[in-house]
């Protein structure tokens, strides 16, 4: 396909989000006319093909791709993320801007770019590979509490946040789980998570000055983290373009360079580049897994049973088992949602709804991370 000269598309293939920016030459000015940010849920190929398939008018544009891992997997011109950041900053800010630090807080990695007065990046500092404190880890913890970013956007920052460990994702998750199981309010746990994220960014800055910094990436939507980060950095600026800044920089590159023509959807991905998203689905290997089934039966009047409850950090499970033959008479599997007491009671209710006769509970066993508080309220 042949490029047309007045439409420019930048794409950033991020760890958790795909962003696209469309620019057009209108008169003598290059203007952003459309932006898309979409979580790819681990399937970058499907997400990109879906977006481009709904915007066929872009097939004749000039394309440029960026992203740390997957930009080389496409038959398109590409640039490294630092170059995309430089170009985007130059596009949205005047030459005399005071900012010398760009903090990229994304789903997988935190990165600090140190800008020279010329606007070029002179130093890059990346966070460690531990997931704790990253945007995706934060979303996972919210999901375990049955919350979303939209749910917490209007929450006030708690007067006292619950301190959680930031040195390891396992420790951090355990801290959150134990806090919720002890009845600590979700707002305090969320406050602790967002404060920990701000602390990790502050640590990443090292000896750089705590002033005049730009925050980009999806974590800019995390109001709690931004609140704590503003306490550490004077003049923290979050541009409107923060969620798609790298894609904007890629589009800016396409404006001034000759690019590879768009090959079409069928030829877009290179077959000689292997990455995890191209592997077969695990569902195709079910034949290699042996599933064990326990006997199930209907409860009879007067059955002596054992009640089992597992209160986990993510899910709460329960069964009613007949004592004499170990047959399962009722079972339930529900999400804990950060409230082990309510989850336990819901499981009891679901189990009771499956038993239509009077039975005798001879024993109750409780396990899982929420076993103490659930045991108190059984």
């Amino acid at each position: 396909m042949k490029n047309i000269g007045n439409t420019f598309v930048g794409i950033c293939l991020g760890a958790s989000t795909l962003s696209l920016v469309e620019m057009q030459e209108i008169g003598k000015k290059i203007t952003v006319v459309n932006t898309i940010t979409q979580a790819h849920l681990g399937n970058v190929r499907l997400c990109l093909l879906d977006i481009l398939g709904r915007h066929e008018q872009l097939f004749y544009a000039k394309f440029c791709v960026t992203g740390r891992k997957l930009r080389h997997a496409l038959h398109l011109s590409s640039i490294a993320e630092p170059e995309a950041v430089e170009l985007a900053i130059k596009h949205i800010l005047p030459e005399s801007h005071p900012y010398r630090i760009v903090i990229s807080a994304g789903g997988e990695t935190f990165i600090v770019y140190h800008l020279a007065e010329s606007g070029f990046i002179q130093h890059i500092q990346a966070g460690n590979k531990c997931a704790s404190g990253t945007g995706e880890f934060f979303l996972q913890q919210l999901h375990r509490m049955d919350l979303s970013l939209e749910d917490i956007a209007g929450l006030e920052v708690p007067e006292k946040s619950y301190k959680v460990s930031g040195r390891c994702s396992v420790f951090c998750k355990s801290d959150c789980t134990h806090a919720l199981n002890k009845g600590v309010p979700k707002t305090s746990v969320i406050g602790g998570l967002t404060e920990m994220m701000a602390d990790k960014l502050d640590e990443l800055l090292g000896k750089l000055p705590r002033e005049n910094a730009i925050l980009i990436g999806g974590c800019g939507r995390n109001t709690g983290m931004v609140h704590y980060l503003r306490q550490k950095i004077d003049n923290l600026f979050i541009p409107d373009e923060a969620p798609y800044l790298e894609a904007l920089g890629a589009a800016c590159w396409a404006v001034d360079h000759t690019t590879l023509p768009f090959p079409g959807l069928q030829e877009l991905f290179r077959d000689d580049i292997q990455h995890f998203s191209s592997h077969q689905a695990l569902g195709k290997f079910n034949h290699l897994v042996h599933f064990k089934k326990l006997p199930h039966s209907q409860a009879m009047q007067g059955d002596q049973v054992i009640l089992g409850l597992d209160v986990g950090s993510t899910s709460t499970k329960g069964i009613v088992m007949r004592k004499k033959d170990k047959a399962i008479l009722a079972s339930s599997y529900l999400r804990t949602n950060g409230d082990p007491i309510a989850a336990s009671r819901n499981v009891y209710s679901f189990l009771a709804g499956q038993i239509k006769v009077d039975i005798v509970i001879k024993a109750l066993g409780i396990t899982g991370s929420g076993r103490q508080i659930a045991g108190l309220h059984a």
Side-chain angles (χ1 to χ4, degrees):
M1 292 185 182
K2 212 172 185 182
N3 289 143
I4 55 177
N6 66 341
T7 302
F8 315 93
V9 176
I11 297 172
C12 179
L13 306 177
S16 58
T17 303
L18 189 153
S19 54
L20 180 147
V21 171
E22 177 188 357
M23 305 178 78
Q24 288 186 3
E25 185 177 6
I26 302 175
K28 294 184 178 181
K29 187 176 181 181
I30 305 297
T31 304
V32 174
V33 296
N34 189 27
T35 64
I36 298 172
T37 57
Q38 184 172 317
H40 55 62
L41 304 178
N43 196 330
V44 177
R45 179 190 294 260
L46 181 63
C47 182
L48 182 56
L49 292 178
D50 175 65
I51 291 174
L52 293 177
R54 290 185 280 110
H55 296 81
E56 295 185 5
Q57 75 278 7
L58 299 179
F59 289 1
Y60 296 94
K62 296 176 66 179
F63 277 82
C64 179
V65 183
T66 189
R68 282 187 293 278
K69 294 181 179 179
L70 298 174
R71 64 187 178 93
H72 296 299
L74 302 179
H75 285 294
L76 295 173
S77 302
S78 69
I79 59 174
E81 273 194 346
E83 185 177 0
V85 170
E86 290 175 347
L87 292 170
I89 296 298
K90 290 179 180 179
H91 179 80
I92 66 174
L93 294 177
E95 289 186 11
S96 58
H97 72 81
Y99 302 102
R100 294 293 171 261
I101 297 170
V102 179
I103 303 171
S104 175
E108 184 181 65
T109 309
F110 287 172
I111 299 176
V112 170
Y113 301 105
H114 188 195
L115 301 178
E117 290 190 8
S118 62
F120 292 104
I121 295 171
Q122 61 181 348
H123 181 70
I124 300 175
Q125 179 66 38
N128 60 39
K129 296 300 181 182
C130 180
S132 70
T134 61
E136 195 64 25
F137 179 81
F138 179 70
L139 290 178
Q140 290 171 7
Q141 304 318 302
L142 288 184
H143 183 64
R144 290 173 56 232
M145 291 183 268
D146 196 28
L147 296 170
S148 66
L149 276 178
E150 289 72 22
D151 293 329
I152 68 170
L155 293 179
E156 294 185 4
V157 177
E159 293 183 7
K160 185 176 182 181
S161 61
Y162 185 86
K163 299 296 182 183
V164 297
S165 172
R167 72 181 189 274
C168 172
S169 59
V170 176
F171 292 156
C172 185
K173 177 185 174 183
S174 296
D175 286 348
C176 295
T177 299
H178 294 322
L180 294 168
N181 288 342
K182 289 188 297 185
V184 176
K186 292 181 181 181
T187 52
S188 294
V189 177
I190 293 169
L193 282 168
T194 55
E195 186 173 11
M196 177 268 290
M197 295 172 73
D199 287 341
K200 293 198 77 168
L201 286 174
D202 182 61
E203 180 183 349
L204 189 58
L205 287 171
K207 296 181 180 180
L208 294 174
R210 270 44 174 194
E211 60 183 7
N212 298 330
I214 302 172
L215 177 64
I216 64 173
C219 288
R221 297 173 57 203
N222 187 331
T223 55
M225 188 201 79
V226 171
H227 166 80
Y228 290 111
L229 199 58
R230 289 193 187 280
Q231 295 179 353
K232 304 173 184 295
I233 299 176
D234 292 333
N235 192 21
L236 179 68
F237 173 52
I238 306 176
D240 294 337
E241 299 84 358
Y244 52 83
L245 189 104
E246 292 90 342
L248 174 62
C252 291
W253 187 91
V255 171
D256 295 323
H257 294 81
T258 301
T259 64
L260 294 173
F262 185 74
L265 295 181
Q266 299 299 322
E267 303 296 329
L268 182 59
F269 285 86
R270 296 177 55 182
D271 293 331
D272 57 334
I273 300 291
Q274 291 294 320
H275 52 86
F276 188 78
S277 62
S278 67
H279 292 181
Q280 296 185 51
L282 290 177
K284 294 186 177 181
F285 300 93
N286 284 343
H287 64 284
L288 301 177
V289 181
H290 178 60
F291 294 92
K292 292 188 176 182
K293 295 184 178 180
L294 295 174
H296 284 65
S297 181
Q298 295 290 325
M300 305 296 290
Q301 184 75 24
D303 273 345
Q304 294 186 352
V305 303
I306 299 170
L307 177 60
L309 184 70
D310 177 12
V311 187
S313 60
T314 302
S315 58
T316 297
K317 291 77 69 178
I319 66 164
V320 176
M321 183 176 68
R322 189 157 52 208
K323 187 177 179 183
K324 65 179 181 181
D325 60 1
K326 305 298 189 292
I328 304 300
L329 307 180
S331 63
S332 179
Y333 189 112
L334 302 174
R335 293 193 64 82
T336 304
N337 290 332
D339 190 341
I341 297 174
S344 301
R345 289 173 174 168
N346 287 335
V347 166
Y348 294 144
S349 178
F350 273 84
L351 293 175
Q354 299 172 48
I355 305 293
K356 306 301 181 182
V357 297
D358 293 332
I359 57 175
V360 180
I361 299 176
K362 300 296 291 185
L364 168 63
I366 302 180
T367 188
S369 59
R371 59 191 180 278
Q372 287 94 351
I373 192 168
L376 291 174
H377 293 83

